[in-house]
Amino acid sequence: MVAIANSCPINSFGEKMSKVEVNKKNKRLALLDNAYSLFIEKGFNNTTISDIVNRAGVAKGTFYLYFKDKFDLRNEIVARKSIEILLKAEENMKSSGTEPKTLEEGIAAFSDAILECFRNNRLQLNFISKNLSWGVFSHIAESNFSNEKDREEINNVYNNFLAVLDENNYKCADPKILLFTIIEFINSTGYSAIVGDAPCSLDKYKPYLHKGIESLFKAYKI
C-alpha cells in the first residue's frame, strides 16, 4: 500500500484533502499496513488488535473508528492484496510483449501471470490462501469499501475482461460468474501446486490448468 507523500493529497473526487482528512487516511493506512505485516509474521489467529494498534502507533479506540473488528480489517486487506495481484498480473502480461492468438490463450497467459506472482511471494499466497476470488468480487459487489480507487481499479480489470470477450465475439449468460470461476479455479489448484507440489509441480501442472480453462470457456458459451 502506498503512503501519502505529497503535501496536498487529492481525494477520489479530485478535491484537495484537509489536514484532518489526511491524518485519518494515514492512520487507516497505518492500521492496514501494520496488520498485514503482523498477519504475515505471527498469523491471523495469533495477532491481537492490541498488537496492531501498538505497531501502528495509534490508540485502540482509533481502530474502531475504521473497522468493526479484526475480521473486518482482514477482509479489506485480502481484497486489497487480491487487487494488487491482478493488476500486477495484467502489467506483467503487457510487458511480456507476447500477443495471444486466441481468447483461451490470453486467459491462460493471465492465469500464468497470477500464479507467478504467487510463486514469487509465498508469504502473500499463504495469507490470501484460497480467498483471491472473494477478494476480487467483494470489491465489485460491495459499496462499503472505503477506497474508491481500489474499486475503480478492480472494475477496470473486470471491464477489460468484458472487452476481451467482446473482441473475440464470445457470448455467455453471466461473464462475472465465468470470471469468478476462472479465478477460483486458478487460485485453488495453483495454491496446491505451489505450496505442496500437489498433484505435481506448478510448471508441470500449467498445461492441465490451461486445458481446464479452455473447458470452462466451452461450458459457459451460449
Side-chain angles (χ1 to χ4, degrees):
M1 274 161 262
V2 179
I4 299 172
N6 56 334
S7 56
C8 295
I10 305 299
N11 63 21
S12 58
F13 300 102
E15 303 165 339
K16 289 184 178 180
M17 297 171 65
S18 69
K19 288 184 178 180
V20 172
E21 289 176 314
V22 172
N23 188 45
K24 286 181 178 180
K25 186 171 184 178
N26 282 339
K27 286 181 179 179
R28 197 172 195 285
L29 286 174
L31 288 167
L32 288 163
D33 286 338
N34 287 284
Y36 177 63
S37 296
L38 284 164
F39 293 160
I40 292 294
E41 293 168 16
K42 301 176 60 174
F44 176 75
N45 291 332
N46 294 326
T47 299
T48 66
I49 291 176
S50 294
D51 292 333
I52 295 168
V53 297
N54 289 338
R55 176 77 68 91
V58 301
K60 196 167 187 177
T62 302
F63 178 94
Y64 293 102
L65 293 176
Y66 305 108
F67 305 102
K68 292 182 293 185
D69 50 33
K70 190 174 69 167
F71 295 93
D72 186 33
L73 172 63
R74 179 201 60 185
N75 289 347
E76 180 150 351
I77 293 173
V78 168
R80 282 169 171 258
K81 292 301 176 182
S82 299
I83 292 167
E84 288 179 13
I85 289 166
L86 290 199
L87 293 177
K88 182 65 176 176
E90 272 199 337
E91 180 185 323
N92 290 344
M93 277 189 64
K94 290 175 182 177
S95 63
S96 70
T98 304
E99 191 69 32
K101 296 179 181 179
T102 66
L103 172 62
E104 291 80 4
E105 283 184 9
I107 300 300
F110 186 54
S111 77
D112 288 352
I114 292 173
L115 292 172
E116 288 306 319
C117 287
F118 276 138
R119 176 150 62 180
N120 293 331
N121 192 341
R122 295 198 180 197
L123 291 176
Q124 189 176 67
L125 172 62
N126 287 332
F127 173 69
I128 294 179
S129 186
K130 298 179 181 180
N131 292 313
L132 178 63
S133 54
W134 177 90
V136 171
F137 286 92
S138 62
H139 262 62
I140 292 176
E142 299 293 336
S143 60
N144 61 347
F145 281 90
S146 63
N147 194 322
E148 182 65 30
K149 184 174 181 292
D150 284 349
R151 288 199 301 274
E152 181 180 343
E153 286 179 337
I154 196 58
N155 276 295
N156 284 341
V157 171
Y158 178 60
N159 288 332
N160 289 343
F161 176 71
L162 294 179
V164 169
L165 295 185
D166 188 58
E167 288 168 8
N168 287 271
N169 297 313
Y170 180 89
K171 304 292 182 184
C172 68
D174 195 325
K176 189 179 291 185
I177 291 178
L178 172 60
L179 182 57
F180 175 89
T181 306
I182 291 170
I183 294 176
E184 184 74 10
F185 180 52
I186 293 168
N187 193 40
S188 59
T189 57
Y191 177 89
S192 298
I194 292 171
V195 173
D197 280 341
C200 56
S201 69
L202 179 61
D203 291 326
K204 186 176 180 180
Y205 178 67
K206 280 181 179 178
Y208 296 95
L209 176 65
H210 298 166
K211 289 179 181 179
I213 291 172
E214 186 174 339
S215 297
L216 284 173
F217 271 99
K218 290 179 180 177
Y220 280 69
K221 190 172 186 178
I222 57 174

